[in-house]
Amino acid sequence: IFVKPTAKTTISLAQIEVHGVLLVAPTAVQLEARRKEFSRCMRDVLTGVQDQRATSQAIAHSLEDVKQGALSLRSRISKELASVEEKCDTSSLEGLEPPDKDTLVRRMREILQQCYKFGFEYHKELDRLITGDQGRKHLAMGTIKFSQQWMRFVLNWCDRGRGLRPDWAFKGVEFSILAASPQNTKYLTDCEFLDFKNLIEQCHNHVAEDPERKSRESHDWQGR
């Protein structure tokens, strides 16, 4: 549809109020390209809510319910895992013999690591499901928070590295890289981004840094 940009047309369009705009493409293949072109032309005038929707209204509502339920479950997984981690309080094991205590702590750590692996995979699947600016922002913030939760777990529960990244840390480090991508961190404030960056550096140093090598380097530097 071509609209001639006359003064009368401009005044008429300025008086129109709409609650939403639905972009329709001839085929599903063309939708992505046309959506990007439309967003580029409209710039900040419109905010995308859904990248695409089903042709049937009933299916569209059902799909939206699935997405909201999936995001709610993400929050529940994070909260329940934090609760389990809190209940695994090693201070209550002081009365045990050292070998028994070490065995129990190691077992609790392994269980928590498996729980976090499940959380990583769930967040990755959500990344394929969730669309729309609001949904993507919700998921991005949740992904960053879950990554921070895992890094604090590493600092509190896991032994320091010996110059090599251990096998158990592979999935977590991979997930932290995903969380730190610009498509997620763009929603953070400057202070939140700085805190996230510092926590990543602490976790990396804890997981992969060789304390003996660092001590040698410090000694050599002092010797100079």
Side-chain angles (χ1 to χ4, degrees):
I1 300 175
F2 175 74
V3 180
K4 191 174 182 179
T6 62
K8 183 178 180 180
T9 302
T10 302
I11 293 173
S12 298
L13 291 175
Q15 296 174 345
I16 296 176
E17 294 184 4
V18 295
H19 297 288
V21 175
L22 179 64
L23 177 66
V24 180
T27 65
V29 176
Q30 299 176 0
L31 178 60
E32 179 67 14
R34 296 203 174 192
R35 181 181 62 80
K36 290 182 178 180
E37 177 64 18
F38 183 72
S39 299
R40 185 187 65 80
C41 293
M42 298 305 295
R43 297 182 182 177
D44 297 330
V45 176
L46 293 175
T47 300
V49 177
Q50 291 179 309
D51 290 341
Q52 64 183 58
R53 54 166 291 176
T55 54
S56 168
Q57 187 71 12
I59 295 177
H61 283 313
S62 297
L63 183 59
E64 186 62 26
D65 289 341
V66 169
K67 292 179 180 179
Q68 291 302 318
L71 286 172
S72 297
L73 181 57
R74 187 219 69 78
S75 299
R76 184 65 180 271
I77 290 172
S78 180
K79 290 178 181 178
E80 291 299 328
L81 182 51
S83 177
V84 172
E85 187 176 338
E86 183 178 352
K87 290 178 181 178
C88 293
D89 184 9
T90 57
S91 62
S92 62
L93 307 177
E94 295 299 330
L96 296 177
E97 293 294 329
D100 295 334
K101 179 182 176 181
D102 293 343
T103 300
L104 188 55
V105 169
R106 183 170 63 253
R107 185 55 180 158
M108 288 191 295
R109 181 169 58 240
E110 291 172 352
I111 292 173
L112 289 170
Q113 287 171 347
Q114 291 300 320
C115 291
Y116 275 107
K117 285 183 180 179
F118 170 79
F120 299 151
E121 295 303 320
Y122 186 81
H123 281 77
K124 290 178 183 177
E125 290 300 319
L126 277 186
D127 190 58
R128 300 166 54 186
L129 174 66
I130 303 302
T131 58
D133 286 350
Q134 291 300 317
R136 296 298 301 180
K137 180 179 180 180
H138 190 163
L139 176 59
M141 296 301 292
T143 299
I144 290 173
K145 289 180 180 178
F146 194 73
S147 175
Q148 291 174 317
Q149 186 175 331
W150 174 77
M151 287 187 282
R152 293 189 184 99
F153 160 74
V154 170
L155 293 173
N156 293 329
W157 279 83
C158 303
D159 297 332
R160 297 187 67 90
R162 294 294 182 268
L164 296 174
R165 186 171 64 192
D167 292 339
W168 59 261
F170 180 79
K171 291 290 185 181
V173 172
E174 185 182 64
F175 184 77
S176 296
I177 293 174
L178 170 65
S181 63
Q183 68 178 13
N184 292 325
T185 57
K186 66 181 180 181
Y187 298 109
L188 297 177
T189 64
D190 291 342
C191 291
E192 289 173 336
F193 180 80
L194 183 59
D195 290 341
F196 184 42
K197 175 177 175 291
N198 290 337
L199 184 57
I200 289 177
E201 290 176 351
Q202 290 178 37
C203 183
H204 177 268
N205 291 337
H206 186 88
V207 170
E209 188 177 75
D210 186 348
E212 294 182 0
R213 179 181 177 183
K214 183 177 180 181
S215 177
R216 290 195 301 269
E217 290 176 349
S218 176
H219 181 271
D220 292 342
W221 182 83
Q222 291 176 0
R224 297 192 189 101

